C-alpha cells in the first residue's frame, strides 16, 4: 500500500475549496507526470466520451419513443402493418408509418463511427504515448529522474489504459443498451414486436463488436498496439499511421477468427428440400453440402460450365444433402467472453513487452 | 562483466566507493568506438572537468554514468553500484547536452515534474536556481531561450539533491551573468552537501578556476585523470633554444611517447629531453617548447616553468598519442610516490 500511496496526494485544508468537507484525492508522483504529459489528449477523450455517452442515452430514449410511435400508427391503420407478414394487401393498401430518423442515426451512422473507434484510439492515443517522448528526447529526462524506467512505463500505460477504459465503458454501455432494447423488441409478440422488427431491421449480431466487454477490450488492445508501435517506431507521425494500419488488420483478423471460436449449430436437410428455418436472432455463418459419410463441405462439387446433369454429378460426388450453420443467441455471451479474453491477453502481452523492452533501450 | 568481488555491483563493506570508477570501460557507438579500455576514478566530493574534442565520447561517458545506456565492455561503477540501478538512480543527476524538457509544461510545472518524479526533491534549491537565472515561472518551456532552458534543466538536476551531478556542456549556451550564477550554485552545492560534480566543457580556462580534478578524453582514450594540483605539478614546460642544428620542421608540432625508449634519432629532439616523457613538443623558429611529464631532472640549456592547466590540456589535445597520466584505479598503497610511471592505458588490456 505504501508504494501506491505515492500516486495519491491529499491536499491540505488550506488548498482545497471551502465547500468540500473532505479532501479530494489528487494524482501525484509519476502518475501526475504521465497525466500532464498527454493531458490534452486525455481531457479530449474523457470529454468526448461523456458527451457521446449522454447523447447515446438520449438517443435510446428517442428510439423507444420512435418505435412506440410506429406501433401506435399501426394500431390506428390496421392494414398498413400486418404482424403475420402478409403484404398482399393490393394496390389500395395504405403506406406504412414512417420510420423515425433516430433509427437511421443509431443503426446506420453510429456503427460506421464505432467501427473505426479502435483505429482512432490506437493511432491518436497509443501511437504518441511513447512515440512522442522518444521523438522529442524527453524519455531521457524521465529516465534520469528517481523513478525507474519500468515504473515509468507501467504508470504511463496504466494512466492511458484508465482513460481509455473509462471512455470505452461510457460509450459501450449505452450502445449495449440500444442493442439489448432492440433485441428484446425483436422477440416481442404482437404488434410491438412487429414494430421493432419493421423499424430496426438489422441483424442482432451486427453490434457484436461494439457491445459488452468486447467493445471495451477492442479499444484497450488497440491502445496497446499503438503504444508498442510508438515504442518501436520512435516517431510520432509514422507511429500514428502504422498503428492505424495495424489496428485495422487486427480488427479484420478478429472478425475472421470470430466464427471459428465456437462450434456452430448445423442444420442438415435433403438436397433441394426447403431448409428448416433458423431463429431470427441467429448469426447465419453459411451453408454447404453434406456427403454420404456425414462430412460437410462448403465447396460446390458441381459448380462449373461442364456439368450437364446436376443430380448425377452430386450423386457421383456422394453428396446427399445440404446444411446451414449458425450461432444462436445463447452463444452470444460465451463468444463475447472468449473474444474479450483474447483481446485482453494480447493487450497484456503487449504491455509486458513494453515493460521488458524499455529498460533495454539505449538512449544517447 | 563484474571485476570486483562484490555481487551485482554491491559496494564492499567498510569502504567508501568513489563517485565514479571505470575499469576497462569501452563504449561503442553506431559509427565506431567512442571510448576504449578506460580506467579512471573520480573521488567523492570532487569537482571534475571532463575535457576532450567534439564527438570523442564525453556525452557517451556521461550517458553511461547516468544509466541511460550500457557500456559495451568493461564496467563503470557509480558510488559503487551499476549505473541506472535503483540504489543509485535517485543519487545521480544528469544535465543532458540538448536539455530535453517537456515543451508544453510551464516552468512551474517542470519544477512540479521534478518534485513528483523525485522523492528527495529539494524545492528551495530548484526555485532559487530558476529565480537566480531570472526565468519566469509561468512561461512555457517551449518558449524559453537556450540559456533559460539550461537553467531550468539545471534546476531539475540540482533539485534532485544528487550525490553525483553529471553536467554535459553546462556553460555552452549561458551568458556571462548566468554562467557565474551557475558556477556559484555548483560550488555551493559541492561545498554544502559534498556533491561530486562532473562537467564536460570546452572552456579550458574556466575549468582551471573551479575544478579540482580533471579527466581528459581524446580519440577514445582517457589521457589524464587526476587531481588538478598533481597534474600541474607533474608537468613542466621546457623552452629550449636549438643551437646550430636545423630545426626538424619549422612550425611543426610533433610528439613522442618517450624519447629514449623508442630510440629517438637525435635529429628530432634535443639530447636534454631524451629520457623524459614528452607529451608534446613544437618548434617555432629556433625555439623548441616541450611539455614534459613527470620530469626527473632537468639540466641543460632549457628554461623550465610550471605550465597552466590549460597549457597542459592543450598539449594532450594536440597530441592524443601522448602517454596517459591516470590516477591509480586501486587504492594507492603508499601515497603519491606509488604512482606508476608507465602508461596505464596499455597494460590495462592485458590485465583483463
Amino acid at each position: 500500500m505504501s508504494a501506491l500511496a505515492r500516486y495519491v496526494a491529499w491536499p491540505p485544508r488550506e488548498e482545497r475549496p471551502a465547500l468540500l468537507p473532505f479532501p479530494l484525492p489528487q494524482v501525484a508522483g509519476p502518475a501526475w507526470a504521465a497525466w500532464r504529459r498527454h493531458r490534452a489528449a486525455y481531457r479530449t477523450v474523457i470529454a468526448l466520451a461523456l458527451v457521446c455517452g449522454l447523447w447515446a442515452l438520449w438517443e435510446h430514449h428517442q428510439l423507444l419513443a420512435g418505435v412506440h410511435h410506429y406501433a401506435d400508427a399501426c394500431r390506428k391503420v390496421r392494414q398498413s402493418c400486418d404482424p403475420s407478414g402478409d403484404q398482399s394487401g393490393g394496390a389500395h393498401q395504405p403506406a406504412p408509418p414512417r420510420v423515425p430518423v433516430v433509427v437511421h442515426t443509431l443503426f446506420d451512422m453510429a456503427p460506421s463511427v464505432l467501427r473505426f473507434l479502435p483505429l482512432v484510439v490506437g493511432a491518436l492515443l497509443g501511437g504518441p504515448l511513447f512515440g512522442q517522448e522518444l521523438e522529442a528526447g524527453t524519455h531521457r529526462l524521465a529516465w534520469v529522474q528517481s523513478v525507474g524506467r519500468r515504473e515509468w512505463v507501467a504508470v504511463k500505460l496504466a494512466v492511458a489504459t484508465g482513460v481509455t477504459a473509462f471512455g470505452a465503458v461510457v460509450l459501450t454501455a449505452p450502445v449495449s443498451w440500444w442493442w439489448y432494447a432492440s433485441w428484446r423488441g425483436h422477440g416481442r409478440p404482437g404488434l410491438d414486436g412487429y414494430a421493432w422488427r419493421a423499424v430496426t431491421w438489422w441483424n442482432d449480431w451486427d453490434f457484436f463488436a461494439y457491445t459488452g466487454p468486447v467493445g471495451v477490450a477492442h479499444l484497450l488492445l488497440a491502445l496497446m498496439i499503438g503504444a508498442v508501435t510508438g515504442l518501436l517506431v520512435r516517431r510520432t507521425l509514422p507511429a500514428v499511421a502504422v498503428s492505424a494500419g495495424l489496428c485495422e488488420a487486427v480488427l479484420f483478423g478478429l472478425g475472421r477468427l470470430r466464427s471459428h471460436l465456437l462450434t456452430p449449430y448445423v442444420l442438415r436437410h435433403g438436397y433441394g428440400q426447403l431448409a428448416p428455418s433458423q431463429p431470427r436472432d441467429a448469426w447465419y455463418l453459411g451453408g454447404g453440402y453434406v456427403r454420404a459419410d456425414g462430412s460437410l463441405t462448403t465447396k460446390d462439387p458441381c459448380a462449373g460450365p461442364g456439368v450437364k446433369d446436376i443430380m448425377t454429378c452430386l450423386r457421383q460426388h456422394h453428396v446427399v444433402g445440404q446444411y446451414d450453420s449458425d450461432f444462436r443467441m445463447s452463444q452470444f455471451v460465451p463468444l463475447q467472453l472468449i473474444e474479450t479474453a483474447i483481446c485482453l491477453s494480447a493487450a497484456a502481452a503487449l504491455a509486458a513487452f513494453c515493460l521488458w523492452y524499455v529498460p533495454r533501450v539505449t538512449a544517447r | 562483466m563484474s571485476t570486483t568481488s562484490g555481487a551485482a555491483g554491491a559496494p564492499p563493506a567498510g569502504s567508501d566507493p568513489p563517485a565514479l570508477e571505470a575499469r576497462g570501460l569501452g563504449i561503442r557507438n553506431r559509427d565506431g568506438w567512442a571510448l576504449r579500455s578506460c580506467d579512471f576514478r573520480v573521488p567523492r566530493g570532487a569537482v571534475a572537468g571532463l575535457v576532450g574534442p567534439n564527438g570523442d565520447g564525453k556525452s557517451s561517458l556521461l550517458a553511461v554514468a547516468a544509466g541511460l545506456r550500457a557500456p559495451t565492455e568493461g564496467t563503470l561503477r557509480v558510488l559503487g553500484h551499476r549505473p541506472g540501478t535503483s540504489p543509485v538512480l535517485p543519487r545521480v543527476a544528469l544535465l543532458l547536452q540538448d536539455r530535453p524538457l517537456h515543451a508544453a509544461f510551464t516552468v512551474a510545472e517542470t519544477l512540479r515534474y521534478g518534485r513528483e518524479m523525485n522523492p528527495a526533491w529539494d524545492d528551495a534549491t530548484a526555485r532559487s536556481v530558476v529565480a537566480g537565472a531570472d526565468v519566469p515561472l509561468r512561461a512555457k518551456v517551449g518558449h524559453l531561450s537556450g540559456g533559460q532552458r539550461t537553467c531550468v534543466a539545471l534546476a531539475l538536476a540540482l533539485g534532485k539533491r544528487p550525490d553525483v551531478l553529471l553536467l554535459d556542456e553546462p556553460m555552452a549556451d549561458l551568458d556571462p551573468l548566468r554562467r557565474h550564477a551557475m558556477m556559484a550554485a555548483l560550488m555551493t552545492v559541492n561545498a554544502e552537501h559534498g556533491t561530486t560534480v562532473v562537467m564536460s566543457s570546452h572552456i579550458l580556462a574556466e575549468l582551471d578556476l573551479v575544478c579540482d580534478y580533471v579527466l581528459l578524453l581524446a580519440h577514445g582514450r582517457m589521457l589524464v585523470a587526476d587531481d588538478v594540483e598533481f597534474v600541474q605539478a607533474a608537468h613542466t614546460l621546457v623552452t629550449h633554444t636549438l643551437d646550430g642544428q636545423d630545426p626538424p620542421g619549422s612550425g611543426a608540432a610533433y610528439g613522442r611517447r618517450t624519447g629514449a625508449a623508442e630510440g629517438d634519432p637525435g635529429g628530432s629532439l634535443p639530447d636534454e629531453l631524451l629520457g623524459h616523457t614528452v607529451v608534446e613538443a613544437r618548434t617555432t623558429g629556433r625555439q623548441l617548447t616541450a611539455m614534459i611529464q613527470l620530469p626527473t631532472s632537468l639540466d641543460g640549456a632549457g628554461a623550465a616553468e610550471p605550465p597552466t592547466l590549460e597549457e597542459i590540456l592543450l598539449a594532450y589535445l594536440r597530441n592524443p598519442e601522448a602517454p596517459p597520466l591516470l590516477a591509480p584505479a586501486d587504492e594507492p598503497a603508499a601515497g603519491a610516490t606509488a604512482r606508476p610511471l608507465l602508461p596505464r592505458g596499455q597494460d590495462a588490456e592485458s590485465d583483463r
Side-chain angles (χ1 to χ4, degrees), chain B residues 49-53 58 169 171 179 199-211 214-217 228 232 308-318:
Chain B
L50 177 59
V51 191
K58 300 195 297 293
E169 302 281 353
M171 293 175 278
R179 192 172 290 186
M199 59 174 127
S200 74
S201 180
H202 289 304
I203 308 167
L204 301 178
E206 285 201 7
L207 290 179
D208 208 353
L209 299 176
V210 295
C211 293
V214 64
L215 302 165
L216 188 133
L217 269 178
V228 168
Q232 280 181 306
T308 63
L309 181 64
E310 187 175 1
E311 285 170 329
I312 299 169
L313 297 181
L314 276 174
Y316 277 96
L317 287 175
R318 287 196 194 105

Side-chain angles (χ1 to χ4, degrees), chain A:
Chain A
M1 284 310 285
S2 60
L4 287 178
R6 291 205 292 135
Y7 297 104
V8 181
W10 300 92
R13 174 164 276 281
E14 55 269 21
E15 281 182 26
R16 65 182 193 243
L19 289 173
L20 285 177
F22 50 86
L24 280 180
Q26 295 173 344
V27 284
W32 177 85
W35 165 266
R36 177 62 190 87
R37 182 70 183 82
H38 303 281
R39 189 174 68 182
Y42 292 155
R43 282 182 175 169
T44 311
V45 166
I46 290 175
L48 274 179
L50 285 176
V51 167
C52 294
L54 286 175
W55 173 82
L57 287 181
W58 167 249
E59 290 294 298
H60 181 263
H61 169 75
Q62 294 285 94
L63 176 69
L64 293 189
V67 172
H68 192 68
H69 187 76
Y70 191 94
D72 274 353
C74 282
R75 278 192 196 94
K76 279 178 197 147
V77 193
R78 268 273 161 184
Q79 296 90 328
S80 63
C81 15
D82 186 0
S84 64
D86 183 14
Q87 295 289 325
S88 59
H92 60 278
Q93 182 187 4
R98 235 164 50 85
V99 173
V101 178
V102 57
V103 171
H104 174 64
T105 316
L106 292 199
F107 296 99
D108 287 343
M109 285 164 65
S112 57
V113 173
L114 292 169
R115 162 83 183 71
F116 293 105
L117 214 52
L119 270 71
V120 172
V121 166
L124 299 185
L125 219 52
L129 189 66
F130 295 119
Q132 219 172 16
E133 297 258 12
L134 289 162
E135 184 170 20
T138 45
H139 61 292
R140 293 171 302 155
L141 178 69
W143 295 354
V144 295
Q145 308 302 318
S146 303
V147 173
R149 290 193 201 187
R150 200 161 273 153
E151 185 178 352
W152 177 77
V153 175
V155 170
K156 267 178 97 74
L157 287 178
V159 171
T161 303
V163 171
T164 309
F166 172 81
V169 168
V170 165
L171 269 184
T172 306
V175 172
S176 305
W177 200 18
W178 300 346
W179 172 84
Y180 182 72
S182 75
W183 173 66
R184 286 286 301 271
H186 287 161
R188 279 198 195 171
L191 210 55
D192 277 347
Y194 174 80
W196 272 105
R197 288 191 292 274
V199 169
T200 62
W201 56 85
W202 54 86
N203 190 287
D204 285 308
W205 288 75
D206 288 352
F207 272 58
F208 182 86
Y210 318 132
T211 51
V214 166
V216 181
H218 275 187
L219 294 180
L220 291 181
L221 175 59
L223 176 78
M224 289 302 162
I225 290 172
V228 169
T229 310
L231 198 56
L232 296 177
V233 173
R234 295 188 174 208
R235 295 278 179 278
T236 310
L237 211 57
V240 166
V242 174
S243 319
L246 283 178
C247 290
E248 176 60 32
V250 167
L251 284 184
F252 178 77
L254 281 172
R256 295 297 294 267
L257 182 68
R258 199 169 294 145
S259 57
H260 302 287
L261 292 178
L262 283 177
T263 315
Y265 280 75
V266 175
L267 291 174
R268 298 156 204 259
H269 53 90
Y271 189 84
Q273 293 172 354
L274 198 66
S277 67
Q278 298 165 320
R280 198 199 175 279
D281 54 3
W283 176 19
Y284 178 68
L285 295 174
Y289 297 88
V290 184
R291 295 203 194 90
D293 56 355
S295 61
L296 307 175
T297 175
T298 50
K299 219 166 75 179
D300 186 353
C302 297
V307 182
K308 283 175 190 150
D309 184 6
I310 287 186
M311 292 311 283
T312 319
C313 166
L314 287 174
R315 217 170 291 125
Q316 278 170 358
H317 286 91
H318 310 290
V319 169
V320 294
Q322 286 175 292
Y323 77 94
D324 289 312
S325 66
D326 60 85
F327 281 148
R328 300 289 159 85
M329 200 35 86
S330 61
Q331 292 171 304
F332 191 89
V333 171
L335 199 58
Q336 280 253 332
L337 293 180
I338 290 172
E339 189 161 332
T340 304
I342 291 172
C343 290
L344 292 186
S345 312
L350 291 173
F353 171 78
C354 292
L355 289 174
W356 173 84
Y357 180 73
V358 165
R360 283 159 180 79
V361 172
T362 291
R364 268 156 229 290

Side-chain angles (χ1 to χ4, degrees), chain B residues 19-20 78-79 91-94 162-166 195-198:
Chain B
L20 293 182
V78 179
L79 301 165
R91 301 171 63 191
V92 177
L94 171 63
D163 291 336
V164 176
L165 183 57
L166 308 168
T195 306
T196 311
V197 180
V198 180

